[in-house]
Amino acid sequence: WSEIMNKLEQQSMASVSFNTWYKDMKLKEIDEEEKIFYVTVPIEFMKTRLTNNSSQLRLVKKCIQDVTKVDYTPIILTEDESNVSLKKESNNFLPKSRLNQKYIFENFVVGKSNEFAHAASLAVAESYLNPHEAHSNPLFIYGGVGLGKTHLMQAIGHFVQSQDPSKKVLYVTSEQFTNELINSIQTNKNEAFRNKYRRVDLLLIDDIQFIADKDRTQEEFFHTFNELHESNRQIVLTSDKPPKDIKALEERLISRFAWGLVVDIGPPDLETRIAILRSKAESEGFNIPNNVINFIAENVKSNIRELEGALSRVMAYSKLTTSEISEQTAAIVLKDLYNTKKEKVINTQIIKEVVAKSYKVNIDDIDSKKRTRSIAYPRQIAMYIARELTDLSLPKIGEEFGGRDHSTVIHAYNKVERDMEEDTSLKIKINNLMREIKE
Ligand code: ADP
Ligand code: MG
């Protein structure tokens, strides 16, 4: 692989293009049967760029061919994807932990939205290593996409592995777990499957919600869970919702998931977004002025993965053009993000701004978990308006309002509708707000 990388460096048009696009590529796996080179890149944006730019992809292919003298096809994946999408797991029953090196506690920025989940994860990792301490088992972390669940879960794995290398740590997604199970049944290797999972000391299963409605998988997982739990081995699970809200999940699993500690992780507030951007820029050795950091943090709110993507676009642009990054260049670079949002004429951001201003609350409070009526009511009104004025689905609206459940949105909608019927001045007020938003 290093020979291939040397070739690439010699043959790329400019050193800046090598550094920007190829330098971080890593070889994940070679599939000899299918003649595929699985290559990973750290971020989605690089993958899109390399995959969509056929001349870049052709260059990678050519360099692989030059070195190996075999006609391999490169497939570019993000590191996250490579953890879930490489097949052929069935032949490989050795518990490899499959952890991403980046996902460690040291790289995790703690803020209000994730401090509890972070503290719980660290406590589980530490107490697990101390046999005399009670540890919460399982630890169940839930929250919306891109908020750091996988990162925290793997950080526990890294921590345990680094403190005690004899511990067998296994990270899988629930899809991998399901696929391995299916393969093992088809190939009569069910025994091997069971042995693999029951030998593990620390089992990390990501996105467990996907085993709901798969009866056989739930059954198998139930037994794995019991066996590990009984012998005092640690289980960590993540999901997009709390156990009781996972539809079609068996009752006996729901109750077991609640045996230990259930923690949630919310969307980051502005300060945390700024801190995350600073830390990422620093770790890449990039000097970005504060006003640019603030600009990105104020405009990219939904999740941390997007926040990282926005930052790396800005960094890649400044590398390519060797220009200083200013707020204006950042705005140009992030134009795509805005365009896609502006096409929807009315978005929840505008709604939140107008409602927050009218009710004199802080816009970040709208998405927060605060329940005082002075905040909760404007939030419900904003959700009502979002349902009236946008095409967004209920779950999507919930997601945009601080990762709430769709039933919360329905409740808000019905309540505000009822109140408007009873209170004419409220009705007039909301109609005025909607007019202002449309304008
Ligand atoms: P989830 O599993 O909840 O969808 P991830 O754990 O994959 O989210 O996080 C998405 C990205 O954001 C990852 O690259 C992760 O490293 C980063 N990230 C999430 N939370 C934090 C944090 N608190 N500090 C630093 N990086 C974070
Ligand atoms: Mg995840």
Side-chain angles (χ1 to χ4, degrees), residues 80 83-84 98-100 102-104 108 141 144 146-158 171-173 204-207 236-239 265 305:
D80 287 353
N83 287 332
V84 293
R98 296 186 274 218
L99 299 174
N100 180 329
K102 261 189 0 186
Y103 293 166
I104 53 179
F108 192 84
I141 308 172
L147 297 182
K149 300 182 298 295
T150 301
H151 187 138
L152 269 185
M153 156 180 264
Q154 294 207 4
I156 300 174
H158 280 296
Y171 167 86
V172 281
T173 64
L204 311 168
I205 302 199
D206 209 356
D207 292 319
V236 182
L237 306 166
T238 70
S239 163
I265 200 167
R305 194 170 294 133

PDB file of all heavy atoms in Angstrom, residues 80 83-84 98-100 102-104 108 141 144 146-158 171-173 204-207 236-239 265 305:
ATOM      1  N   ASP A  80     -16.387   4.897   8.645  1.00  0.00           N
ATOM      2  CA  ASP A  80     -17.593   4.393   9.312  1.00  0.00           C
ATOM      3  C   ASP A  80     -18.260   3.294   8.492  1.00  0.00           C
ATOM      4  O   ASP A  80     -18.632   2.253   9.005  1.00  0.00           O
ATOM      5  CB  ASP A  80     -18.613   5.515   9.510  1.00  0.00           C
ATOM      6  CG  ASP A  80     -18.181   6.464  10.599  1.00  0.00           C
ATOM      7  OD1 ASP A  80     -17.178   6.145  11.258  1.00  0.00           O
ATOM      8  OD2 ASP A  80     -18.835   7.498  10.770  1.00  0.00           O
ATOM      9  N   ASN A  83     -16.770  -0.100   8.434  1.00  0.00           N
ATOM     10  CA  ASN A  83     -17.024  -0.945   9.590  1.00  0.00           C
ATOM     11  C   ASN A  83     -18.304  -1.744   9.449  1.00  0.00           C
ATOM     12  O   ASN A  83     -18.490  -2.747  10.107  1.00  0.00           O
ATOM     13  CB  ASN A  83     -17.125  -0.091  10.858  1.00  0.00           C
ATOM     14  CG  ASN A  83     -15.776   0.420  11.281  1.00  0.00           C
ATOM     15  OD1 ASN A  83     -14.759  -0.218  11.011  1.00  0.00           O
ATOM     16  ND2 ASN A  83     -15.743   1.577  11.915  1.00  0.00           N
ATOM     17  N   VAL A  84     -19.206  -1.252   8.624  1.00  0.00           N
ATOM     18  CA  VAL A  84     -20.460  -1.988   8.490  1.00  0.00           C
ATOM     19  C   VAL A  84     -20.595  -2.742   7.178  1.00  0.00           C
ATOM     20  O   VAL A  84     -21.271  -3.753   7.111  1.00  0.00           O
ATOM     21  CB  VAL A  84     -21.696  -1.068   8.625  1.00  0.00           C
ATOM     22  CG1 VAL A  84     -21.800  -0.536  10.020  1.00  0.00           C
ATOM     23  CG2 VAL A  84     -21.671   0.070   7.642  1.00  0.00           C
ATOM     24  N   ARG A  98     -12.450  -4.304  15.571  1.00  0.00           N
ATOM     25  CA  ARG A  98     -12.935  -3.385  14.545  1.00  0.00           C
ATOM     26  C   ARG A  98     -13.243  -1.996  15.066  1.00  0.00           C
ATOM     27  O   ARG A  98     -14.285  -1.428  14.774  1.00  0.00           O
ATOM     28  CB  ARG A  98     -14.208  -3.951  13.893  1.00  0.00           C
ATOM     29  CG  ARG A  98     -13.955  -5.232  13.149  1.00  0.00           C
ATOM     30  CD  ARG A  98     -15.182  -5.667  12.422  1.00  0.00           C
ATOM     31  NE  ARG A  98     -16.039  -6.447  13.277  1.00  0.00           N
ATOM     32  CZ  ARG A  98     -16.732  -7.519  12.860  1.00  0.00           C
ATOM     33  NH1 ARG A  98     -16.671  -7.888  11.607  1.00  0.00           N
ATOM     34  NH2 ARG A  98     -17.482  -8.178  13.681  1.00  0.00           N
ATOM     35  N   LEU A  99     -12.372  -1.465  15.839  1.00  0.00           N
ATOM     36  CA  LEU A  99     -12.599  -0.113  16.345  1.00  0.00           C
ATOM     37  C   LEU A  99     -11.907   0.907  15.459  1.00  0.00           C
ATOM     38  O   LEU A  99     -10.873   0.641  14.865  1.00  0.00           O
ATOM     39  CB  LEU A  99     -12.067   0.015  17.778  1.00  0.00           C
ATOM     40  CG  LEU A  99     -12.697  -0.896  18.825  1.00  0.00           C
ATOM     41  CD1 LEU A  99     -11.959  -0.754  20.161  1.00  0.00           C
ATOM     42  CD2 LEU A  99     -14.168  -0.586  18.997  1.00  0.00           C
ATOM     43  N   ASN A 100     -12.520   2.087  15.379  1.00  0.00           N
ATOM     44  CA  ASN A 100     -11.935   3.189  14.644  1.00  0.00           C
ATOM     45  C   ASN A 100     -10.991   3.951  15.575  1.00  0.00           C
ATOM     46  O   ASN A 100     -11.384   4.367  16.662  1.00  0.00           O
ATOM     47  CB  ASN A 100     -13.083   4.081  14.178  1.00  0.00           C
ATOM     48  CG  ASN A 100     -12.617   5.282  13.394  1.00  0.00           C
ATOM     49  OD1 ASN A 100     -11.527   5.811  13.617  1.00  0.00           O
ATOM     50  ND2 ASN A 100     -13.441   5.713  12.475  1.00  0.00           N
ATOM     51  N   LYS A 102      -9.870   6.819  15.708  1.00  0.00           N
ATOM     52  CA  LYS A 102     -10.205   8.210  16.038  1.00  0.00           C
ATOM     53  C   LYS A 102     -11.156   8.323  17.226  1.00  0.00           C
ATOM     54  O   LYS A 102     -11.236   9.347  17.874  1.00  0.00           O
ATOM     55  CB  LYS A 102     -10.948   8.839  14.846  1.00  0.00           C
ATOM     56  CG  LYS A 102     -10.135   9.674  13.932  1.00  0.00           C
ATOM     57  CD  LYS A 102     -11.009  10.430  12.909  1.00  0.00           C
ATOM     58  CE  LYS A 102     -12.518  10.188  13.023  1.00  0.00           C
ATOM     59  NZ  LYS A 102     -13.350  10.771  12.007  1.00  0.00           N
ATOM     60  N   TYR A 103     -11.929   7.267  17.427  1.00  0.00           N
ATOM     61  CA  TYR A 103     -13.016   7.368  18.403  1.00  0.00           C
ATOM     62  C   TYR A 103     -12.548   7.040  19.813  1.00  0.00           C
ATOM     63  O   TYR A 103     -12.829   5.977  20.341  1.00  0.00           O
ATOM     64  CB  TYR A 103     -14.166   6.447  17.993  1.00  0.00           C
ATOM     65  CG  TYR A 103     -14.861   6.857  16.729  1.00  0.00           C
ATOM     66  CD1 TYR A 103     -15.725   5.991  16.065  1.00  0.00           C
ATOM     67  CD2 TYR A 103     -14.675   8.125  16.187  1.00  0.00           C
ATOM     68  CE1 TYR A 103     -16.372   6.374  14.903  1.00  0.00           C
ATOM     69  CE2 TYR A 103     -15.310   8.523  15.026  1.00  0.00           C
ATOM     70  CZ  TYR A 103     -16.168   7.635  14.394  1.00  0.00           C
ATOM     71  OH  TYR A 103     -16.807   8.011  13.257  1.00  0.00           O
ATOM     72  N   ILE A 104     -11.820   7.980  20.392  1.00  0.00           N
ATOM     73  CA  ILE A 104     -11.320   7.781  21.753  1.00  0.00           C
ATOM     74  C   ILE A 104     -11.834   8.917  22.646  1.00  0.00           C
ATOM     75  O   ILE A 104     -12.262   9.956  22.139  1.00  0.00           O
ATOM     76  CB  ILE A 104      -9.770   7.741  21.776  1.00  0.00           C
ATOM     77  CG1 ILE A 104      -9.181   8.965  21.084  1.00  0.00           C
ATOM     78  CG2 ILE A 104      -9.273   6.471  21.093  1.00  0.00           C
ATOM     79  CD1 ILE A 104      -7.680   9.005  21.091  1.00  0.00           C
ATOM     80  N   PHE A 108     -13.072  13.411  22.333  1.00  0.00           N
ATOM     81  CA  PHE A 108     -14.495  13.675  22.508  1.00  0.00           C
ATOM     82  C   PHE A 108     -14.694  14.962  23.296  1.00  0.00           C
ATOM     83  O   PHE A 108     -14.245  15.093  24.429  1.00  0.00           O
ATOM     84  CB  PHE A 108     -15.156  12.491  23.230  1.00  0.00           C
ATOM     85  CG  PHE A 108     -16.652  12.530  23.210  1.00  0.00           C
ATOM     86  CD1 PHE A 108     -17.367  12.031  22.121  1.00  0.00           C
ATOM     87  CD2 PHE A 108     -17.366  13.065  24.275  1.00  0.00           C
ATOM     88  CE1 PHE A 108     -18.754  12.065  22.102  1.00  0.00           C
ATOM     89  CE2 PHE A 108     -18.754  13.105  24.260  1.00  0.00           C
ATOM     90  CZ  PHE A 108     -19.448  12.599  23.169  1.00  0.00           C
ATOM     91  N   ILE A 141     -26.985   3.789  25.243  1.00  0.00           N
ATOM     92  CA  ILE A 141     -26.856   5.203  24.858  1.00  0.00           C
ATOM     93  C   ILE A 141     -27.790   5.464  23.675  1.00  0.00           C
ATOM     94  O   ILE A 141     -27.714   4.755  22.675  1.00  0.00           O
ATOM     95  CB  ILE A 141     -25.415   5.529  24.397  1.00  0.00           C
ATOM     96  CG1 ILE A 141     -24.396   5.076  25.450  1.00  0.00           C
ATOM     97  CG2 ILE A 141     -25.264   7.007  24.091  1.00  0.00           C
ATOM     98  CD1 ILE A 141     -22.942   5.198  24.985  1.00  0.00           C
ATOM     99  N   GLY A 144     -30.112  11.093  18.425  1.00  0.00           N
ATOM    100  CA  GLY A 144     -30.242  11.239  16.971  1.00  0.00           C
ATOM    101  C   GLY A 144     -28.947  10.929  16.219  1.00  0.00           C
ATOM    102  O   GLY A 144     -27.922  10.677  16.826  1.00  0.00           O
ATOM    103  N   GLY A 146     -25.537  11.187  14.145  1.00  0.00           N
ATOM    104  CA  GLY A 146     -24.366  12.055  14.099  1.00  0.00           C
ATOM    105  C   GLY A 146     -24.102  12.824  15.377  1.00  0.00           C
ATOM    106  O   GLY A 146     -23.471  13.875  15.366  1.00  0.00           O
ATOM    107  N   LEU A 147     -24.575  12.310  16.502  1.00  0.00           N
ATOM    108  CA  LEU A 147     -24.388  13.052  17.756  1.00  0.00           C
ATOM    109  C   LEU A 147     -23.304  12.458  18.649  1.00  0.00           C
ATOM    110  O   LEU A 147     -23.056  12.952  19.737  1.00  0.00           O
ATOM    111  CB  LEU A 147     -25.719  13.130  18.512  1.00  0.00           C
ATOM    112  CG  LEU A 147     -26.829  13.889  17.783  1.00  0.00           C
ATOM    113  CD1 LEU A 147     -28.089  13.962  18.628  1.00  0.00           C
ATOM    114  CD2 LEU A 147     -26.384  15.298  17.410  1.00  0.00           C
ATOM    115  N   GLY A 148     -22.665  11.365  18.204  1.00  0.00           N
ATOM    116  CA  GLY A 148     -21.519  10.868  18.966  1.00  0.00           C
ATOM    117  C   GLY A 148     -21.729   9.542  19.681  1.00  0.00           C
ATOM    118  O   GLY A 148     -20.906   9.156  20.509  1.00  0.00           O
ATOM    119  N   LYS A 149     -22.794   8.816  19.336  1.00  0.00           N
ATOM    120  CA  LYS A 149     -23.034   7.540  20.018  1.00  0.00           C
ATOM    121  C   LYS A 149     -21.945   6.518  19.692  1.00  0.00           C
ATOM    122  O   LYS A 149     -21.368   5.892  20.581  1.00  0.00           O
ATOM    123  CB  LYS A 149     -24.403   6.952  19.605  1.00  0.00           C
ATOM    124  CG  LYS A 149     -25.564   7.854  19.938  1.00  0.00           C
ATOM    125  CD  LYS A 149     -26.882   7.212  19.558  1.00  0.00           C
ATOM    126  CE  LYS A 149     -27.033   6.933  18.062  1.00  0.00           C
ATOM    127  NZ  LYS A 149     -27.076   8.150  17.235  1.00  0.00           N
ATOM    128  N   THR A 150     -21.675   6.358  18.399  1.00  0.00           N
ATOM    129  CA  THR A 150     -20.659   5.390  18.001  1.00  0.00           C
ATOM    130  C   THR A 150     -19.301   5.769  18.583  1.00  0.00           C
ATOM    131  O   THR A 150     -18.543   4.927  19.058  1.00  0.00           O
ATOM    132  CB  THR A 150     -20.584   5.307  16.465  1.00  0.00           C
ATOM    133  OG1 THR A 150     -21.871   4.915  15.981  1.00  0.00           O
ATOM    134  CG2 THR A 150     -19.546   4.306  16.009  1.00  0.00           C
ATOM    135  N   HIS A 151     -19.025   7.074  18.543  1.00  0.00           N
ATOM    136  CA  HIS A 151     -17.744   7.554  19.062  1.00  0.00           C
ATOM    137  C   HIS A 151     -17.583   7.156  20.541  1.00  0.00           C
ATOM    138  O   HIS A 151     -16.572   6.558  20.929  1.00  0.00           O
ATOM    139  CB  HIS A 151     -17.690   9.077  18.892  1.00  0.00           C
ATOM    140  CG  HIS A 151     -16.365   9.689  19.220  1.00  0.00           C
ATOM    141  ND1 HIS A 151     -15.796  10.679  18.465  1.00  0.00           N
ATOM    142  CD2 HIS A 151     -15.496   9.459  20.242  1.00  0.00           C
ATOM    143  CE1 HIS A 151     -14.624  11.030  19.009  1.00  0.00           C
ATOM    144  NE2 HIS A 151     -14.426  10.302  20.087  1.00  0.00           N
ATOM    145  N   LEU A 152     -18.599   7.442  21.354  1.00  0.00           N
ATOM    146  CA  LEU A 152     -18.508   7.126  22.782  1.00  0.00           C
ATOM    147  C   LEU A 152     -18.395   5.631  23.029  1.00  0.00           C
ATOM    148  O   LEU A 152     -17.599   5.174  23.846  1.00  0.00           O
ATOM    149  CB  LEU A 152     -19.757   7.629  23.510  1.00  0.00           C
ATOM    150  CG  LEU A 152     -19.706   9.021  24.088  1.00  0.00           C
ATOM    151  CD1 LEU A 152     -20.995   9.285  24.864  1.00  0.00           C
ATOM    152  CD2 LEU A 152     -18.495   9.186  24.999  1.00  0.00           C
ATOM    153  N   MET A 153     -19.207   4.872  22.291  1.00  0.00           N
ATOM    154  CA  MET A 153     -19.209   3.427  22.489  1.00  0.00           C
ATOM    155  C   MET A 153     -17.826   2.850  22.178  1.00  0.00           C
ATOM    156  O   MET A 153     -17.285   2.032  22.913  1.00  0.00           O
ATOM    157  CB  MET A 153     -20.282   2.842  21.574  1.00  0.00           C
ATOM    158  CG  MET A 153     -20.097   1.421  21.196  1.00  0.00           C
ATOM    159  SD  MET A 153     -21.430   0.881  20.119  1.00  0.00           S
ATOM    160  CE  MET A 153     -22.512   0.142  21.298  1.00  0.00           C
ATOM    161  N   GLN A 154     -17.237   3.325  21.070  1.00  0.00           N
ATOM    162  CA  GLN A 154     -15.916   2.804  20.717  1.00  0.00           C
ATOM    163  C   GLN A 154     -14.850   3.311  21.681  1.00  0.00           C
ATOM    164  O   GLN A 154     -13.854   2.630  21.922  1.00  0.00           O
ATOM    165  CB  GLN A 154     -15.574   3.184  19.275  1.00  0.00           C
ATOM    166  CG  GLN A 154     -16.498   2.498  18.277  1.00  0.00           C
ATOM    167  CD  GLN A 154     -15.857   2.303  16.918  1.00  0.00           C
ATOM    168  OE1 GLN A 154     -14.689   2.615  16.705  1.00  0.00           O
ATOM    169  NE2 GLN A 154     -16.620   1.768  15.977  1.00  0.00           N
ATOM    170  N   ALA A 155     -15.069   4.499  22.239  1.00  0.00           N
ATOM    171  CA  ALA A 155     -14.103   5.020  23.210  1.00  0.00           C
ATOM    172  C   ALA A 155     -14.016   4.074  24.409  1.00  0.00           C
ATOM    173  O   ALA A 155     -12.931   3.840  24.954  1.00  0.00           O
ATOM    174  CB  ALA A 155     -14.497   6.431  23.651  1.00  0.00           C
ATOM    175  N   ILE A 156     -15.162   3.535  24.800  1.00  0.00           N
ATOM    176  CA  ILE A 156     -15.150   2.561  25.901  1.00  0.00           C
ATOM    177  C   ILE A 156     -14.285   1.367  25.501  1.00  0.00           C
ATOM    178  O   ILE A 156     -13.449   0.890  26.265  1.00  0.00           O
ATOM    179  CB  ILE A 156     -16.589   2.093  26.237  1.00  0.00           C
ATOM    180  CG1 ILE A 156     -17.443   3.275  26.662  1.00  0.00           C
ATOM    181  CG2 ILE A 156     -16.566   0.997  27.307  1.00  0.00           C
ATOM    182  CD1 ILE A 156     -18.914   2.945  26.865  1.00  0.00           C
ATOM    183  N   GLY A 157     -14.469   0.900  24.275  1.00  0.00           N
ATOM    184  CA  GLY A 157     -13.691  -0.228  23.774  1.00  0.00           C
ATOM    185  C   GLY A 157     -12.200   0.044  23.792  1.00  0.00           C
ATOM    186  O   GLY A 157     -11.407  -0.763  24.285  1.00  0.00           O
ATOM    187  N   HIS A 158     -11.816   1.226  23.276  1.00  0.00           N
ATOM    188  CA  HIS A 158     -10.397   1.573  23.254  1.00  0.00           C
ATOM    189  C   HIS A 158      -9.822   1.626  24.661  1.00  0.00           C
ATOM    190  O   HIS A 158      -8.723   1.155  24.920  1.00  0.00           O
ATOM    191  CB  HIS A 158     -10.196   2.953  22.623  1.00  0.00           C
ATOM    192  CG  HIS A 158     -10.236   2.922  21.128  1.00  0.00           C
ATOM    193  ND1 HIS A 158      -9.306   2.250  20.385  1.00  0.00           N
ATOM    194  CD2 HIS A 158     -11.072   3.484  20.246  1.00  0.00           C
ATOM    195  CE1 HIS A 158      -9.585   2.396  19.106  1.00  0.00           C
ATOM    196  NE2 HIS A 158     -10.654   3.139  18.985  1.00  0.00           N
ATOM    197  N   TYR A 171     -16.695  -4.961  18.594  1.00  0.00           N
ATOM    198  CA  TYR A 171     -17.639  -3.942  18.147  1.00  0.00           C
ATOM    199  C   TYR A 171     -18.339  -4.447  16.893  1.00  0.00           C
ATOM    200  O   TYR A 171     -17.676  -4.835  15.929  1.00  0.00           O
ATOM    201  CB  TYR A 171     -16.897  -2.637  17.824  1.00  0.00           C
ATOM    202  CG  TYR A 171     -17.750  -1.650  17.072  1.00  0.00           C
ATOM    203  CD1 TYR A 171     -18.597  -0.775  17.744  1.00  0.00           C
ATOM    204  CD2 TYR A 171     -17.751  -1.613  15.678  1.00  0.00           C
ATOM    205  CE1 TYR A 171     -19.410   0.103  17.058  1.00  0.00           C
ATOM    206  CE2 TYR A 171     -18.571  -0.736  14.977  1.00  0.00           C
ATOM    207  CZ  TYR A 171     -19.396   0.131  15.675  1.00  0.00           C
ATOM    208  OH  TYR A 171     -20.208   0.991  14.989  1.00  0.00           O
ATOM    209  N   VAL A 172     -19.638  -4.470  16.903  1.00  0.00           N
ATOM    210  CA  VAL A 172     -20.400  -4.774  15.671  1.00  0.00           C
ATOM    211  C   VAL A 172     -21.627  -3.880  15.605  1.00  0.00           C
ATOM    212  O   VAL A 172     -22.134  -3.428  16.622  1.00  0.00           O
ATOM    213  CB  VAL A 172     -20.927  -6.235  15.593  1.00  0.00           C
ATOM    214  CG1 VAL A 172     -19.878  -7.201  15.194  1.00  0.00           C
ATOM    215  CG2 VAL A 172     -21.654  -6.645  16.857  1.00  0.00           C
ATOM    216  N   THR A 173     -22.089  -3.667  14.379  1.00  0.00           N
ATOM    217  CA  THR A 173     -23.393  -3.026  14.238  1.00  0.00           C
ATOM    218  C   THR A 173     -24.436  -4.130  14.332  1.00  0.00           C
ATOM    219  O   THR A 173     -24.112  -5.309  14.128  1.00  0.00           O
ATOM    220  CB  THR A 173     -23.528  -2.334  12.879  1.00  0.00           C
ATOM    221  OG1 THR A 173     -23.470  -3.335  11.869  1.00  0.00           O
ATOM    222  CG2 THR A 173     -22.399  -1.347  12.658  1.00  0.00           C
ATOM    223  N   LEU A 204     -19.908  -4.535  22.141  1.00  0.00           N
ATOM    224  CA  LEU A 204     -20.463  -3.242  21.762  1.00  0.00           C
ATOM    225  C   LEU A 204     -21.356  -3.472  20.548  1.00  0.00           C
ATOM    226  O   LEU A 204     -20.861  -3.868  19.492  1.00  0.00           O
ATOM    227  CB  LEU A 204     -19.329  -2.279  21.390  1.00  0.00           C
ATOM    228  CG  LEU A 204     -18.148  -2.177  22.370  1.00  0.00           C
ATOM    229  CD1 LEU A 204     -16.982  -1.412  21.725  1.00  0.00           C
ATOM    230  CD2 LEU A 204     -18.581  -1.491  23.656  1.00  0.00           C
ATOM    231  N   ILE A 205     -22.641  -3.260  20.697  1.00  0.00           N
ATOM    232  CA  ILE A 205     -23.525  -3.406  19.527  1.00  0.00           C
ATOM    233  C   ILE A 205     -24.162  -2.064  19.210  1.00  0.00           C
ATOM    234  O   ILE A 205     -24.853  -1.471  20.031  1.00  0.00           O
ATOM    235  CB  ILE A 205     -24.605  -4.486  19.718  1.00  0.00           C
ATOM    236  CG1 ILE A 205     -23.932  -5.833  20.010  1.00  0.00           C
ATOM    237  CG2 ILE A 205     -25.452  -4.606  18.433  1.00  0.00           C
ATOM    238  CD1 ILE A 205     -24.808  -7.031  19.771  1.00  0.00           C
ATOM    239  N   ASP A 206     -23.866  -1.603  17.988  1.00  0.00           N
ATOM    240  CA  ASP A 206     -24.252  -0.269  17.567  1.00  0.00           C
ATOM    241  C   ASP A 206     -25.593  -0.324  16.832  1.00  0.00           C
ATOM    242  O   ASP A 206     -25.835  -1.242  16.053  1.00  0.00           O
ATOM    243  CB  ASP A 206     -23.147   0.268  16.632  1.00  0.00           C
ATOM    244  CG  ASP A 206     -23.024   1.779  16.685  1.00  0.00           C
ATOM    245  OD1 ASP A 206     -23.834   2.425  17.368  1.00  0.00           O
ATOM    246  OD2 ASP A 206     -22.098   2.315  16.031  1.00  0.00           O
ATOM    247  N   ASP A 207     -26.419   0.665  17.069  1.00  0.00           N
ATOM    248  CA  ASP A 207     -27.721   0.781  16.387  1.00  0.00           C
ATOM    249  C   ASP A 207     -28.577  -0.460  16.556  1.00  0.00           C
ATOM    250  O   ASP A 207     -29.063  -1.044  15.583  1.00  0.00           O
ATOM    251  CB  ASP A 207     -27.510   1.103  14.894  1.00  0.00           C
ATOM    252  CG  ASP A 207     -26.928   2.498  14.701  1.00  0.00           C
ATOM    253  OD1 ASP A 207     -27.364   3.409  15.413  1.00  0.00           O
ATOM    254  OD2 ASP A 207     -26.033   2.660  13.859  1.00  0.00           O
ATOM    255  N   VAL A 236     -22.554  -2.896  25.872  1.00  0.00           N
ATOM    256  CA  VAL A 236     -22.921  -1.509  25.605  1.00  0.00           C
ATOM    257  C   VAL A 236     -23.737  -1.483  24.331  1.00  0.00           C
ATOM    258  O   VAL A 236     -23.379  -2.121  23.333  1.00  0.00           O
ATOM    259  CB  VAL A 236     -21.674  -0.598  25.460  1.00  0.00           C
ATOM    260  CG1 VAL A 236     -22.089   0.851  25.232  1.00  0.00           C
ATOM    261  CG2 VAL A 236     -20.764  -0.698  26.684  1.00  0.00           C
ATOM    262  N   LEU A 237     -24.844  -0.773  24.352  1.00  0.00           N
ATOM    263  CA  LEU A 237     -25.733  -0.728  23.198  1.00  0.00           C
ATOM    264  C   LEU A 237     -26.014   0.723  22.832  1.00  0.00           C
ATOM    265  O   LEU A 237     -26.067   1.577  23.710  1.00  0.00           O
ATOM    266  CB  LEU A 237     -27.057  -1.419  23.541  1.00  0.00           C
ATOM    267  CG  LEU A 237     -26.949  -2.846  24.070  1.00  0.00           C
ATOM    268  CD1 LEU A 237     -28.258  -3.292  24.687  1.00  0.00           C
ATOM    269  CD2 LEU A 237     -26.541  -3.788  22.951  1.00  0.00           C
ATOM    270  N   THR A 238     -26.219   0.991  21.546  1.00  0.00           N
ATOM    271  CA  THR A 238     -26.697   2.321  21.158  1.00  0.00           C
ATOM    272  C   THR A 238     -27.948   2.158  20.327  1.00  0.00           C
ATOM    273  O   THR A 238     -28.197   1.096  19.744  1.00  0.00           O
ATOM    274  CB  THR A 238     -25.696   3.107  20.298  1.00  0.00           C
ATOM    275  OG1 THR A 238     -25.621   2.478  19.017  1.00  0.00           O
ATOM    276  CG2 THR A 238     -24.327   3.179  20.918  1.00  0.00           C
ATOM    277  N   SER A 239     -28.711   3.240  20.260  1.00  0.00           N
ATOM    278  CA  SER A 239     -29.943   3.211  19.485  1.00  0.00           C
ATOM    279  C   SER A 239     -30.356   4.641  19.194  1.00  0.00           C
ATOM    280  O   SER A 239     -29.879   5.573  19.832  1.00  0.00           O
ATOM    281  CB  SER A 239     -31.031   2.504  20.289  1.00  0.00           C
ATOM    282  OG  SER A 239     -32.298   2.804  19.752  1.00  0.00           O
ATOM    283  N   ILE A 265     -28.203  11.379  24.462  1.00  0.00           N
ATOM    284  CA  ILE A 265     -27.228  12.332  23.970  1.00  0.00           C
ATOM    285  C   ILE A 265     -28.015  13.259  23.048  1.00  0.00           C
ATOM    286  O   ILE A 265     -28.792  12.785  22.230  1.00  0.00           O
ATOM    287  CB  ILE A 265     -26.101  11.545  23.278  1.00  0.00           C
ATOM    288  CG1 ILE A 265     -24.818  12.314  23.140  1.00  0.00           C
ATOM    289  CG2 ILE A 265     -26.467  11.036  21.951  1.00  0.00           C
ATOM    290  CD1 ILE A 265     -23.657  11.391  22.754  1.00  0.00           C
ATOM    291  N   ARG A 305     -21.640  15.222  12.602  1.00  0.00           N
ATOM    292  CA  ARG A 305     -21.037  14.721  11.375  1.00  0.00           C
ATOM    293  C   ARG A 305     -21.065  15.803  10.300  1.00  0.00           C
ATOM    294  O   ARG A 305     -20.088  16.029   9.595  1.00  0.00           O
ATOM    295  CB  ARG A 305     -21.747  13.454  10.903  1.00  0.00           C
ATOM    296  CG  ARG A 305     -20.968  12.717   9.840  1.00  0.00           C
ATOM    297  CD  ARG A 305     -21.541  11.358   9.543  1.00  0.00           C
ATOM    298  NE  ARG A 305     -21.418  10.462  10.672  1.00  0.00           N
ATOM    299  CZ  ARG A 305     -22.417   9.709  11.123  1.00  0.00           C
ATOM    300  NH1 ARG A 305     -23.593   9.774  10.560  1.00  0.00           N
ATOM    301  NH2 ARG A 305     -22.231   8.907  12.131  1.00  0.00           N
TER     302      ARG A 305
END
